[in-house]
Amino acid sequence: MKTLKILSNQNKLYSETTSEAFYSDEQSDFSIRMVTRGNEEYRLNNKTVNVFPGYFLILNDGTSYQRKIYTDGLSNTFSVQFSKKFLADYNRSLICNDAALMNMPFDYADSSPVFYETLYPFKNDLMFTLLHLKDHFDKKVNNELLINEYLYHSLLLFYQVHNKEVFVNSGRLNFVKPGTRKELFKRLNNVKDYMISNCNQALGIDELSKVACLSECHLYKLFKELYHCSPHQYLLKVRLNKAKSLLCDTNYPINEIVGMVGFENASSFIRLFKKIFTVTPQNYRAKNVA
């Protein structure tokens, strides 16, 4: 089932619930793309990115991509697509002073920013705002003023997330030349996206090294400098968080979830899950499934 709402200012809300779909040669407006249940795979810029609960993907205006959904159960995807005018207007409100905005209130030329097309953590205020927006959308609330307020607030919160995930984090890379820092940050982001998208696979440092085009030791050093943990520790966090989603949103037995998130045996998974979340997977499911 697909539902599309186009507002009068050309902002769009799109939701899809399905177990199987494939779309080729699509082109994006600037958009925030999330999954509340299941998994959605994107192919863009010569890389594959899997979006599932806990992360969202950003696509810039004009980006071409393919996407597909193929799951045992139903996947529910939701995207917020901002018009060029709305995004440019929002960006101008941040970078221009009040006098310039009053004198040229509708000058949107060259005001649209470009963001890293990567997976961002879906949590805190941005998560609550987008989930509330989705709830209004699902209930067919026909109040454009309210919906656009949610869109404005979503952009505000995304800019904060982007600032932290890109500018603050990249500043941890201790290199003098900005060009070097930018390129290394891009390569490390590719590794991060690769690990999230393939967290159910047995990943080795040699494989990650090839993704980053960095030596193994260089990758380990830089990754820990950027994310404050080793690649292995980061991968464990991703796997455990995906397990939490599967425990809440599916009826898969725990022994199957173990393999679905990349753990080799149930005992080590249960032990680590309890250590991190102070509750067993079985009890976590019992407390979080209505």
Side-chain angles (χ1 to χ4, degrees):
M1 182 178 70
K2 307 175 190 176
T3 308
L4 172 67
K5 183 178 182 65
I6 304 177
L7 305 179
S8 59
N9 59 8
Q10 299 306 301
N11 289 329
K12 302 172 186 175
L13 305 176
Y14 177 78
S15 177
E16 182 173 6
T17 301
T18 184
S19 60
E20 185 174 354
F22 177 76
Y23 304 93
S24 62
D25 300 323
E26 292 194 318
Q27 196 169 66
S28 176
D29 298 319
F30 169 72
S31 54
I32 299 174
R33 294 167 179 264
M34 53 183 261
V35 172
T36 57
R37 182 186 179 98
N39 180 84
E40 185 173 32
E41 179 184 290
Y42 285 81
R43 179 72 179 174
L44 65 152
N45 299 330
N46 298 316
K47 72 175 183 179
T48 300
V49 177
N50 283 303
V51 186
F52 52 83
Y55 301 91
F56 67 91
L57 175 67
I58 287 295
L59 296 182
N60 288 309
D61 177 57
T63 292
S64 298
Y65 62 93
Q66 295 179 346
R67 65 183 178 94
K68 68 177 181 180
I69 301 168
Y70 186 76
T71 57
D72 292 335
L74 291 176
S75 286
N76 181 252
T77 68
F78 181 65
S79 65
V80 181
Q81 303 172 36
F82 298 88
S83 70
K84 293 180 182 179
K85 180 180 176 181
F86 191 88
L87 179 61
D89 185 24
Y90 179 82
N91 199 57
R92 285 186 74 240
S93 73
L94 297 180
I95 63 177
C96 296
N97 60 41
D98 289 333
L101 293 171
M102 287 190 297
N103 291 333
M104 295 183 293
F106 307 116
D107 180 13
Y108 306 115
D110 301 322
S111 296
S112 295
V114 176
F115 301 97
Y116 271 95
E117 294 181 319
T118 186
L119 291 169
Y120 295 84
F122 188 52
K123 57 184 181 181
N124 301 333
D125 290 344
L126 180 59
M127 178 184 72
F128 292 120
T129 298
L130 287 172
L131 290 179
H132 279 302
L133 175 60
K134 183 181 184 302
D135 184 58
H136 285 308
F137 175 71
D138 292 341
K139 292 177 179 176
K140 296 180 170 55
V141 173
N142 192 25
N143 184 334
E144 287 208 5
L145 184 61
L146 175 63
I147 298 300
N148 278 305
E149 284 184 10
Y150 272 104
L151 294 177
Y152 176 89
H153 198 53
S154 296
L155 273 182
L156 172 68
L157 294 170
F158 168 67
Y159 270 62
Q160 294 174 4
V161 171
H162 184 267
N163 181 66
K164 178 183 177 183
E165 294 296 317
V166 176
F167 296 111
V168 175
N169 284 353
S170 64
R172 296 172 182 165
L173 298 174
N174 189 24
F175 292 90
V176 176
K177 293 182 178 180
T180 302
R181 183 164 57 244
K182 182 177 180 180
E183 177 60 27
L184 285 173
F185 183 74
K186 177 183 176 181
R187 296 188 190 191
L188 292 169
N189 258 274
N190 286 340
V191 172
K192 180 258 297 178
D193 286 349
Y194 186 83
M195 286 197 294
I196 293 173
S197 299
N198 298 279
C199 65
N200 62 326
Q201 304 296 318
L203 302 177
I205 191 66
D206 56 337
E207 183 177 352
L208 300 180
S209 169
K210 292 175 183 176
V211 172
C213 293
L214 298 169
S215 74
E216 294 179 10
C217 291
H218 196 196
L219 169 61
Y220 181 88
K221 171 181 176 291
L222 294 176
F223 194 95
K224 197 163 186 179
E225 189 174 333
L226 179 61
Y227 294 110
H228 290 171
C229 63
S230 69
H232 174 67
Q233 291 167 333
Y234 191 94
L235 183 59
L236 286 179
K237 292 178 185 178
V238 172
R239 287 172 170 172
L240 289 171
N241 284 323
K242 186 169 186 179
K244 287 173 67 177
S245 295
L246 291 171
L247 288 166
C248 292
D249 298 335
T250 74
N251 295 318
Y252 290 121
I254 291 175
N255 283 340
E256 287 189 33
I257 290 176
V258 170
M260 292 170 69
V261 298
F263 282 93
E264 293 183 0
N265 62 76
S267 59
S268 62
F269 164 72
I270 294 172
R271 184 171 59 253
L272 185 58
F273 191 98
K274 186 176 181 180
K275 178 182 178 181
I276 299 300
F277 302 121
T278 67
V279 64
T280 65
Q282 184 175 1
N283 288 338
Y284 179 85
R285 168 174 270 174
K287 291 179 181 179
N288 290 276
V289 176

